[in-house]
Amino acid sequence: MREHLWWRHLIGLAALVFALVPILFLISAALNPIGTLSTTSLLPSGASFSNFSKLFHDPNSPYVRWYVNTLVICGVSAVLNVLIGVSGAYAFSRLRFRGRRPGLTGIMLVQMFPNFISLTALYLTFISIGGVLPAFGLNTSLGLILVYLGGAMGVNTWLLKGYLDTIPKELDESARIDGATETQVFFKVVLPLARPMLVVVGLFSFVSFLNEILLAGVFLTDTTHKTLAVGLYGLVSGNHNTDYGEFAAGSLLAGIPVVLIYLYLQKYLVKGLTAGAVKG
């Protein structure tokens, strides 16, 4: 029987090579002192850390500031996204009120439209908001966080509601009989049981915000307010095949937080994805 399973190892090996080649090429480009794509090979020759040095000492590209901006915006947005999503999911899963079903349908319909359709409306709206509350207007981290929270709320609500529906309601009722309030049921009974799915939603939200460039590029125009995606894109836009070494070095370092978070939350991630796959 084992003799017929060699093709599985072959597929696994092909998938591994397919995943590792772009990473190896990125490392090679980051270590290439010339900094052009045409001189970059899979195995670097004449490797140096000059691109990393330029990245941290270029006065026109405040990379460390972009890094901090990205961690703050993505981290705060991911945490708030999970809290808002699970709060809405709890209401739709546990409570019965007028307009519940139309509300769920409305959220699903809104999420069918891509975010860039609302770009003009959001831009004009946040110009007006900035006139009253400058801290939440254009070119501010708080303004971009608000935009991110509205864009992903519907999907997360639907995803988390499906998971909360699988948690027995008898647990809630037992807690209420013991004297727990609705807030205590939510925070001390439901949230701990939903932790694997909360981790999955939070992690995917963090990664999607980290890669997002369209809204961030429109909302954050000042150099010191940019995120990594917007700032790194600015390093190569308009200068094709001239200095990709600095861009590759910055991209390589930008992936470190995601790798660390994946490793730290791995056990919850596996539980959440497995539960989402077998429970309907």
Side-chain angles (χ1 to χ4, degrees):
M1 186 65 181
R2 292 178 179 273
E3 298 175 355
H4 302 290
L5 299 179
W6 60 269
W7 58 273
R8 297 185 181 183
H9 300 285
L10 184 62
I11 293 176
L13 184 61
L16 184 63
V17 171
F18 185 76
L20 287 181
V21 166
I23 298 175
L24 292 176
F25 191 85
L26 181 66
I27 295 174
S28 176
L31 297 177
N32 181 10
I34 301 176
T36 61
L37 292 180
S38 58
T39 58
T40 301
S41 59
L42 196 59
L43 297 177
S45 58
S48 75
F49 292 97
S50 59
N51 291 320
F52 293 93
S53 178
K54 285 192 297 183
L55 189 67
F56 288 107
H57 296 92
D58 187 351
N60 297 320
S61 304
Y63 183 76
V64 175
R65 185 63 182 270
W66 296 344
Y67 214 105
V68 174
N69 292 342
T70 301
L71 292 180
V72 171
I73 292 174
C74 296
V76 173
S77 299
V79 171
L80 294 179
N81 222 349
V82 171
L83 288 177
I84 294 174
V86 74
S87 299
Y90 180 81
F92 284 115
S93 175
R94 291 297 199 268
L95 306 180
R96 294 295 179 266
F97 51 90
R98 182 178 297 178
R100 173 178 169 274
R101 187 170 294 278
L104 278 171
T105 306
I107 289 175
M108 183 179 66
L109 290 176
V110 170
Q111 293 301 311
M112 290 181 179
F113 299 97
N115 288 338
F116 64 82
I117 290 180
S118 60
L119 187 60
T120 304
L122 287 172
Y123 188 82
L124 296 175
T125 300
F126 276 84
I127 287 178
S128 302
I129 293 175
V132 181
L133 299 171
F136 292 90
L138 289 176
N139 211 22
T140 64
S141 298
L142 291 176
L144 185 61
I145 290 173
L146 285 181
V147 174
Y148 283 163
L149 293 182
M153 183 175 64
V155 174
N156 294 335
T157 300
W158 265 97
L159 188 64
L160 288 165
K161 177 191 175 299
Y163 190 85
L164 295 186
D165 285 343
T166 66
I167 298 176
K169 294 182 175 60
E170 289 77 9
L171 296 175
D172 308 8
E173 295 169 358
S174 297
R176 292 191 185 95
I177 291 174
D178 291 339
T181 63
E182 198 67 37
T183 304
Q184 290 174 322
V185 171
F186 177 68
F187 283 103
K188 296 185 177 181
V189 177
V190 176
L191 284 192
L193 294 174
R195 187 179 301 161
M197 185 54 72
L198 298 181
V199 169
V200 171
V201 172
L203 183 57
F204 286 175
S205 298
F206 184 88
V207 175
S208 66
F209 296 145
L210 183 69
N211 295 326
E212 200 282 321
I213 189 172
L214 179 61
L215 291 172
V218 172
F219 275 74
L220 303 176
T221 55
D222 191 83
T223 303
T224 57
H225 290 162
K226 289 180 179 179
T227 59
L228 281 174
V230 180
L232 291 175
Y233 174 73
L235 293 179
V236 293
S237 60
N239 295 318
H240 299 293
N241 204 28
T242 55
D243 193 9
Y244 272 86
E246 196 174 341
F247 172 82
S251 301
L252 191 63
L253 295 179
I256 292 177
V258 178
V259 174
L260 294 178
I261 293 174
Y262 263 98
L263 292 175
Y264 181 69
L265 300 176
Q266 188 177 18
K267 60 179 181 180
Y268 297 110
L269 187 64
V270 173
K271 287 181 182 178
L273 292 176
T274 305
V278 299
K279 294 180 179 179

